[in-house]
């Protein structure tokens, strides 16, 4: 039964993405063509550049290169924070929507997705406009007398996190909603009859049941935030590379080093792949238990 | 027993969400009525940018871009949702099979590949196999990267549905097809709807991949407005965005009314 | 007519290539009225695709878009790079009846000597602007952005563009571009790392917006962009620093494998008519490379302080195209600056 149902997926992703990605994997082992492009000659230069530091002029003793590892670490940390914020805010929202009357749930879902009819770039720029030093938010807060001087938000990590939250919120809310919606409140009632508190019910009964939705939401927020570059660039001031902007620079920017861009992508993908396979294996084990 | 459904603070968090989501859109809408050309100056209330969108020199370009964007997003989201539903059924209902973990990885591949790499690699691939870039190549690329966005909510939903429902239906001599369409699909509906909506907004939003795989003269809304936004948004872009919002609100209101009417007269 | 435009937009590749022209251009860099005028004069239907940086254009051409476009509008150094890569076709000066309209000083340019593949489009300079409400002192030195006074520290936007930042930095330290001297490059790198502590953000496309909104009080910027910031109400002054500044020129190039080569040449010839070149300048607020445009220019653009350097200003320099080993050093400095 599995084969015919999976055929369309294998065909679409296999042909239109896996083959191109294999090509990129090959590119990462080729010689770079100056200013973009590749020369078909085997080379480990891209991986060498990633892991080995030989100083600015390439004649110092080889040591481990921390530059790119640092960029990875920073991006991963940022994605973890963004995912956590989305979860903390997205879960209650999804729960709230799922507990509305069936006729109004659809309206709430659309309310969450309507803003995404406006392009991400415009949303991000508008957000920046809203939170800038003499923007409406600060003027409003100062008018209320909550603060005396403008909150410095633009070009901070906080702004980047806000931007990522804004970019990816529905990707957390919708899968969780899909999982919570089928939750049978008879369980909660039974537990409440046995004097379990709301939060105990949440932790012990609801969480395990809606876990697939939470994990799906976390994957959908975490993985894209890893490679995000619009929010870090526009809201964070682009003072440091993130994985996304580092790769972007290699293809569309002045660094123009395709094999290196491909190699960084391959390393990133291997990390994500390992995490996903680990998750898939543990789910499979859980299934057979 | 409404009490067990209610958690204190969840309503406030939801409202906070809406404030964050809609705050910047208020800026967009307000400045679409700005008489001046600059986003940072208020030049008085004016409808000139709406007139510009419909009759200005770039009107035909924007019109075809909006049309392309909407048709591609709808077709890509429908196709991706169907493909993802089939995949989710196989992954969640067929037990263990060889290559299951690898298939899971493959389904999520579009999420893992950085967008710019997908863009460059796909364009190279298309030109290698001699496919002319145009509407079709955009659609193919969009269906592909929409699949995981549709798959994950659907699979999450399906994972929680006990297969005893289908078993019962089969025991009552329902065919596989009948048990799917009459029993399982209605149960899966919230997952399918969530998956479709995510696929739709992802397709509508994509710039980088589209920009690479589109043919000359082919525009979607993001590619038509990207340069302008980068150089500082002009109010006509704000007007287009507001119109898009209007279309979506209209769409939602209509579906709500139809839905309610359907329920009133069964 | 609108229905027709709509139908052609839907069809990916029209079967006939006669009477068509495909332009790969910067966003919002040519007035639609001028394109319509070209179509009215010649009957050639024009399709314009846009890009947002020289490098983005190069990447998509190299990834498979060669043969789709007839002309593109790369900046000076990019013309040279594209020429080296064999992406450009060439023409004879006699192919363009208006070739003689090109300002003689822009014919023998280092990036395309004798103009074999390109014609000038617009040129301008890159330096920096300062908000005069915030800082009132002298601004004729690059120290304003690299070693700023206290009023400006932490309120500076740098261009997010390797070529311009490193070229300006080299000028500030009085070194040549494409330098491979160890101690000098080390000094350049250290100077930039120190300067970065005074910078609020990196951004090229946002360079104007941050000045207008007040997010930045000073910023590296292109002259025409600064003029637009001023027009939008920011009290900014564009500086022509004494150490030097970057001059750039965008050029219309004839692409290799152009599907409509003849029409491309007609278009290039059309752009060399002074009235048409002036229309572009009035739109983009830079300077044309064509002689005789003055009668057609708007006064505001002709007399703008951004387009008319003071007599004391030094000559600007194009960004040099380095060889591969040298470029690698500059790439490493840039990566290190943003790591």
């Amino acid at each position: 039964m599995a084969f015919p149902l999976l055929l369309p997926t294998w065909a679409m992703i296999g042909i239109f993405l896996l083959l191109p990605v294999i090509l990129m994997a090959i590119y990462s082992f080729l010689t770079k063509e100056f200013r973009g492009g590749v020369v078909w000659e085997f080379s480990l230069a891209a991986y060498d550049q990633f892991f080995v530091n030989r100083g600015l002029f390439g004649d110092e003793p080889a040591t481990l290169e921390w530059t790119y590892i640092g960029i990875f670490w920073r991006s991963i940390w940022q994605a973890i924070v963004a995912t956590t914020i989305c979860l903390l805010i997205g879960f209650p929202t999804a729960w709230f929507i799922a507990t509305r009357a069936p006729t109004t749930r659809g309206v709430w879902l659309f309310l969450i997705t309507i803003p995404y009819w406006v392009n991400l770039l415009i949303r991000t720029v508008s957000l920046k406009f809203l939170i800038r030093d003499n923007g409406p938010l600060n003027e409003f807060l100062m008018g209320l007398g909550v603060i005396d001087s403008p909150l410095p938000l633009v070009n901070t990590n906080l702004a980047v996190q806000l931007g990522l939250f804004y970019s990816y919120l529905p990707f957390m809310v919708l899968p969780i909603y899909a999982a919570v919606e089928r939750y049978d409140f008879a369980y909660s009632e039974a537990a409440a009859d046995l004097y379990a508190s709301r939060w105990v019910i949440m932790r012990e009964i609801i969480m395990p049941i809606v876990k697939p939705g939470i994990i799906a939401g976390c994957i959908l927020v975490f993985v894209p935030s890893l490679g995000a570059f619009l929010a870090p660039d526009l809201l964070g001031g682009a003072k440091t590379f993130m994985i996304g902007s580092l790769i972007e620079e290699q293809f569309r920017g002045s660094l123009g080093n395709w094999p290196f861009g491909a190699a960084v992508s391959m390393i990133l993908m291997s990390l994500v792949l390992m995490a996903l396979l680990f998750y898939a294996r543990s789910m499979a084990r859980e299934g057979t238990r | 027993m409404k009490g067990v459904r209610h958690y204190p603070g969840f309503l406030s968090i939801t409202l906070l969400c809406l404030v964050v989501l809609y705050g910047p859109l208020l800026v967009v809408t307000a400045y679409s009525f700005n008489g001046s050309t600059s986003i940072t100056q208020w030049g008085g209330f004016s409808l000139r940018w709406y007139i510009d969108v419909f009759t200005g020199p770039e009107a035909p370009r924007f019109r075809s871009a909006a049309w392309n964007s909407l048709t591609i997003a709808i077709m890509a989201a429908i196709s991706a949702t169907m493909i993802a539903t089939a995949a989710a059924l196989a992954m969640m209902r067929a037990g263990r099979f060889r290559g299951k973990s690898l298939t899971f990885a493959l389904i999520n591949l579009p999420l893992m590949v950085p967008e710019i790499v997908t863009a460059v690699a796909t364009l190279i691939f298309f030109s290698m196999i001699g496919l002319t870039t145009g509407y079709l190549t955009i659609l193919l690329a969009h269906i592909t990267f929409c699949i995981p966005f549709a798959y994950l909510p659907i699979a999450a939903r399906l994972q929680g549905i006990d297969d005893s429902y289908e078993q019962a239906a089969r025991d009552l001599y329902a065919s596989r097809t009948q048990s799917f369409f009459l029993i399982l699909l209605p149960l899966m509906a919230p997952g399918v709807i969530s998956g479709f909506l995510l696929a739709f907004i992802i397709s509508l939003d994509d710039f980088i991949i589209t920009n690479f795989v589109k043919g000359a003269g082919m525009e979607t809304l993001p590619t038509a407005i990207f340069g302008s936004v980068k150089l500082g948004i002009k109010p006509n872009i704000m007007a287009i965005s507001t119109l898009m919002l209007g279309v979506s609100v209209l769409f939602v209101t209509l579906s709500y009314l139809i839905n309610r009417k359907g329920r009133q007269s069964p | 007519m609108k229905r027709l435009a709509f139908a052609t937009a839907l069809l990916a590749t029209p079967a006939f290539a006669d009477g068509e022209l495909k332009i790969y251009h910067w966003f919002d860099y040519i007035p639609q009225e001028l394109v319509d005028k070209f179509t009215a004069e010649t009957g050639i239907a024009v399709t314009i695709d846009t890009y947002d940086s020289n490098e983005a254009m190069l990447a998509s051409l190299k990834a498979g878009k060669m043969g789709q476009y007839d002309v593109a509008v790369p900046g000076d150094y990019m013309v040279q790079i594209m020429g080296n890569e064999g992406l450009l076709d060439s023409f004879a000066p006699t192919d363009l009846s208006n070739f003689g309209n090109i300002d003689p000083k822009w014919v023998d340019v280092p990036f395309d000597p004798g103009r074999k593949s390109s014609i000038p489009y617009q040129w301008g300079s890159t330096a920096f602007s300062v908000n005069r409400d915030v800082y009132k002192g002298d601004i004729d030195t690059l120290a304003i952005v690299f070693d700023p006074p206290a009023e400006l520290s932490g309120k500076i936007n740098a261009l997010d563009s390797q070529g311009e930042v490193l070229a300006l930095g080299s000028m500030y330290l009085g070194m040549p571009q494409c330098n491979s001297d160890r101690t000098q490059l080390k000094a350049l790198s250290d100077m930039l790392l120190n300067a970065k502590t005074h910078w609020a953000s990196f951004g090229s496309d946002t360079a104007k917006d941050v000045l207008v909104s007040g997010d930045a009080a000073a910023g590296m910027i292109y002259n025409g962009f600064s003029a637009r910031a001023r027009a939008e109400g920011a009290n900014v002054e564009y500086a022509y620093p004494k150490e030097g500044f970057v001059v750039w020129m965008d050029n219309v190039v004839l692409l290799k494998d152009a599907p409509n080569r003849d029409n491309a040449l007609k278009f290039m010839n059309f752009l060399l008519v002074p009235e048409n070149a002036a229309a572009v300048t009035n739109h983009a607020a830079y300077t044309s490379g064509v002689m005789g445009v003055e009668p057609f220019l708007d006064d505001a653009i002709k007399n703008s302080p951004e387009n008319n350097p003071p007599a004391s200003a030094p000559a600007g320099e194009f960004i040099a195209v380095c060889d591969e080993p040298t470029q690698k050093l500059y790439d490493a400095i840039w990566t290190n600056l943003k790591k």
Side-chain angles (χ1 to χ4, degrees):
Chain A
M1 165 176 151
F3 181 74
L5 288 176
L6 284 174
L7 194 61
T9 311
W10 283 335
M12 279 309 288
I13 302 183
I15 295 173
F16 295 112
L17 191 60
L18 187 60
L19 289 181
V21 165
I22 290 173
L23 187 74
M24 270 293 144
I26 298 172
Y27 271 27
S28 74
F29 291 102
L30 295 179
T31 308
K32 81 160 181 170
E33 192 181 328
F34 190 34
R35 306 275 186 186
V38 289
V39 181
W40 283 82
E41 265 170 47
F42 177 79
S43 161
L44 282 175
Y47 292 93
D48 182 86
Q49 182 182 345
F50 192 95
F51 289 110
V52 187
N53 178 6
R54 290 194 183 78
L56 181 57
F57 295 90
D59 52 4
E60 289 166 32
T63 52
L64 182 62
E65 172 69 88
W66 286 101
T67 305
Y68 304 109
I69 296 173
I71 293 171
F72 265 63
W73 171 243
R74 197 161 52 224
S75 306
I76 290 170
W77 176 243
Q78 179 179 275
I80 290 174
V81 175
T83 311
T84 313
I85 297 176
C86 278
L87 180 60
L88 289 179
I89 301 205
F91 182 86
T93 307
W95 179 274
F96 178 82
I97 295 173
T99 53
R100 296 305 95 195
T103 35
T104 48
R105 276 177 211 159
V107 177
W108 277 97
L109 279 190
F110 278 116
L111 272 180
I112 296 289
T113 46
I114 282 174
Y116 295 80
W117 282 61
V118 173
N119 189 266
L120 173 66
L121 193 70
I122 298 179
R123 278 182 282 130
T124 310
V125 171
S126 307
L127 183 63
K128 183 176 178 184
F129 178 84
L130 201 60
I131 63 170
R132 63 181 24 150
D133 287 1
N134 42 11
L137 178 70
N138 272 315
E139 275 174 15
F140 176 70
L141 290 177
M142 277 157 70
L144 283 184
V146 184
I147 48 171
D148 298 328
S149 57
L151 294 174
L153 287 171
V154 171
N155 300 335
T156 63
N157 278 334
L158 190 64
V160 176
Q161 290 301 339
L162 190 62
L164 289 175
F165 167 76
Y166 192 31
S167 308
Y168 299 119
L169 180 72
F171 303 108
M172 185 63 85
V173 172
L174 269 64
I176 297 182
Y177 160 79
V180 172
E181 201 264 356
R182 63 159 286 278
Y183 175 70
D184 186 345
F185 283 92
Y187 295 126
S188 289
E189 281 158 25
D193 289 346
L194 297 169
Y195 303 105
S197 78
R198 278 202 185 90
W199 300 105
V200 170
I201 295 174
M202 176 62 80
R203 197 175 64 232
E204 299 295 327
I205 302 174
I206 299 171
M207 279 301 170
I209 292 179
V210 301
K211 201 174 93 184
I214 293 177
I215 291 171
C218 288
I219 295 176
L220 282 177
V221 174
F222 180 76
V223 184
S225 334
L226 264 184
F229 60 90
L230 261 187
D233 272 15
L234 283 175
L235 297 166
K239 285 184 80 176
T240 50
F241 278 131
M242 290 289 159
I243 299 178
S245 46
L246 179 68
I247 296 173
E248 177 91 356
E249 269 278 316
Q250 310 302 326
F251 288 101
R252 271 165 59 86
S254 53
L255 294 179
N257 185 342
W258 289 17
F260 184 66
V264 175
S265 310
M266 291 306 136
I267 294 166
L268 172 67
M269 285 166 59
S270 319
L271 290 176
V272 178
L273 188 66
M274 276 191 288
L276 279 183
L277 284 182
F278 178 76
Y279 158 72
R281 287 273 151 77
S282 67
M283 288 308 288
R285 263 203 303 281
E286 224 168 69
T288 53
R289 204 167 53 204
Chain B
M1 261 310 266
K2 251 203 141 170
V4 289
R5 290 161 185 262
H6 179 72
Y7 278 80
F10 280 22
L11 172 63
S12 344
I13 291 178
T14 309
L15 294 180
L16 175 78
C17 256
L18 292 184
V19 169
V20 175
L21 289 184
Y22 284 85
L25 299 183
L26 290 180
V27 176
V28 172
T29 310
Y31 275 85
S32 70
F33 297 107
N34 186 0
S36 124
T37 46
S38 162
I39 178 185
T40 36
Q41 276 177 316
W42 181 254
F45 180 87
S46 157
L47 285 175
R48 63 184 273 210
W49 301 111
Y50 287 89
I51 297 164
D52 182 75
V53 165
F54 287 104
T55 59
E58 291 184 304
R61 207 163 78 94
F62 285 135
R63 205 168 17 236
S64 75
W67 175 256
N68 289 339
S69 262
L70 282 175
T71 52
I72 287 173
I74 289 171
M75 283 195 278
I78 290 176
S79 316
T81 308
M82 292 197 313
I83 293 171
T85 306
L89 282 174
M91 295 294 283
M92 295 297 150
R93 283 292 188 265
R96 302 187 74 171
F97 56 87
R98 277 176 70 91
K100 190 169 176 178
S101 295
L102 278 180
T103 306
F104 181 73
L106 187 75
I107 293 170
N108 287 293
L109 189 65
L111 276 178
M112 292 189 280
V113 191
E115 257 190 296
I116 179 71
V117 174
T118 307
V120 173
T122 310
L123 176 56
I124 295 173
F125 177 72
F126 281 152
S127 51
M128 269 171 131
I129 62 172
L131 207 53
T132 318
T133 50
Y135 192 89
L136 181 68
T137 48
I138 303 181
L139 186 60
L140 287 173
H142 278 227
I143 294 174
T144 307
F145 71 67
C146 282
I147 289 174
F149 289 92
Y151 172 85
L152 284 165
I154 296 173
R157 172 76 182 186
L158 197 54
Q159 214 171 336
I161 301 173
D162 204 345
D163 67 356
S164 56
Y165 295 106
E166 296 138 87
Q167 296 294 349
R170 299 284 311 224
D171 288 348
L172 296 169
Y173 303 105
S175 70
R176 246 182 223 290
T177 326
Q178 280 175 323
S179 86
F180 172 74
F181 280 106
L182 296 177
I183 309 292
L184 197 53
L185 194 58
L187 283 170
M188 286 167 68
V192 175
I193 293 169
S194 298
F196 173 83
L197 285 176
L198 287 187
F200 181 79
I201 61 180
I202 271 293
S203 165
L204 206 58
D205 232 7
D206 179 73
F207 166 70
I208 294 182
I209 297 172
T210 313
N211 188 38
F212 270 77
V213 302
K214 80 194 185 71
M218 205 41 227
E219 302 270 19
T220 62
L221 269 184
T223 66
I225 64 180
F226 196 81
S228 148
V229 180
K230 290 190 85 178
L231 295 175
I233 307 185
K234 279 210 288 188
N236 61 344
I237 306 291
M238 299 295 206
I240 293 176
S241 304
T242 308
L243 288 171
M244 287 292 282
L245 282 177
V247 171
S248 67
V249 171
L250 191 73
F251 181 65
V252 174
T253 317
L254 277 180
S255 71
Y256 177 70
L257 291 177
I258 291 168
N259 199 348
R260 213 173 54 169
K261 210 173 173 198
R263 272 166 210 272
Q264 276 163 354
S265 50
Chain C
M1 180 60 206
K2 272 170 191 158
R3 180 91 22 104
L4 187 72
F6 184 69
T8 41
L10 272 179
L11 294 170
T13 44
F16 53 93
D18 218 50
E20 279 202 316
L21 177 68
K22 301 216 161 136
I23 303 174
Y24 205 20
H25 208 321
W26 294 83
F27 192 88
D28 194 27
Y29 202 1
I30 185 163
Q32 184 64 40
E33 293 78 7
L34 190 64
V35 178
D36 294 343
K37 183 180 167 195
F38 175 71
T39 304
E41 277 181 18
T42 59
I44 295 169
V46 177
T47 306
I48 300 183
D49 267 16
T50 58
Y51 52 85
D52 53 291
S53 75
N54 278 310
E55 286 76 13
M57 182 241 332
L58 182 68
S60 73
L61 286 179
K62 283 188 121 176
K65 291 201 170 174
M66 282 305 289
Q68 281 194 18
Y69 301 107
D70 301 299
V71 295
V73 191
D76 41 86
Y77 68 98
M78 190 50 72
V79 174
Q80 190 172 350
I81 291 169
M82 291 171 78
N84 293 346
E85 301 265 336
L87 302 179
L88 302 182
D89 197 353
S90 56
F91 54 85
T94 48
D95 290 343
L96 303 175
S97 58
N98 298 326
F99 192 87
N101 290 352
I102 301 177
D103 190 330
K105 73 171 172 173
W106 297 124
V107 173
D108 251 331
V109 282
F111 48 86
D112 183 17
R115 292 285 179 187
K116 295 187 175 59
S117 311
S118 67
I119 59 159
Y121 188 69
Q122 294 281 295
W123 67 275
S125 66
T126 309
F128 63 90
S129 287
V130 175
N131 187 328
R132 285 317 218 158
D133 296 336
V134 179
Y135 183 72
K136 299 194 166 59
D138 275 348
I139 57 165
D140 67 340
T141 164
L142 283 165
I144 294 286
V145 284
F146 290 117
D147 186 14
E151 295 97 313
L152 294 174
S153 176
K155 292 176 194 153
I156 294 173
N157 177 62
L159 290 173
D160 197 3
S161 156
Q162 180 187 162
E164 272 126 352
V165 172
L166 297 191
L168 287 172
S170 303
M171 289 170 192
Y172 175 54
L173 295 180
M175 16 176 119
Q177 298 186 57
C178 295
N179 189 351
S180 48
D181 182 281
R182 293 184 73 118
T183 35
Q184 290 200 350
L185 284 182
K186 194 84 185 53
L188 176 64
S189 178
D190 292 344
M191 186 279 288
L192 288 170
L193 284 171
N194 177 56
K196 187 184 164 184
T197 60
H198 299 290
W199 295 347
S201 56
F202 283 77
S204 298
D205 311 308
T206 53
K208 182 198 76 186
D209 264 9
V210 290
L211 287 176
V212 176
S213 68
D215 287 352
M220 301 176 197
I221 197 166
Y222 320 105
N223 59 343
F225 226 29
S226 180
R228 274 156 87 162
R230 191 166 50 84
E232 289 179 18
N235 181 20
V236 292
E237 183 178 336
Y238 182 75
Y240 280 95
K242 61 181 183 224
E243 296 91 347
F245 53 88
V246 172
V247 170
W248 53 262
M249 173 171 254
D250 290 327
N251 309 271
V252 183
V253 295
L254 182 61
L255 289 170
K256 205 171 174 201
D257 305 329
N260 315 289
R261 192 175 183 276
D262 291 346
N263 294 347
L265 291 172
K266 277 184 198 154
F267 180 68
M268 291 164 97
N269 206 32
F270 173 81
L271 286 176
L272 290 176
V273 175
E275 190 181 348
N276 301 335
V280 176
T281 299
N282 286 334
H283 180 78
Y286 292 111
T287 308
S288 172
V290 171
M291 291 185 301
V293 293
E294 288 75 15
F296 306 102
L297 289 181
D298 296 344
D299 283 342
I301 288 179
K302 201 167 23 181
N303 304 324
S304 91
E306 288 83 1
N307 284 345
N308 296 287
S312 59
E317 261 181 72
F318 280 114
I319 291 177
V321 177
C322 312
D323 59 15
E324 191 167 353
T326 314
Q327 186 59 42
K328 205 175 159 191
L329 301 176
Y330 282 87
D331 287 351
I333 292 175
W334 180 248
T335 306
N336 192 45
L337 182 64
K338 292 199 71 181
K339 80 177 178 193

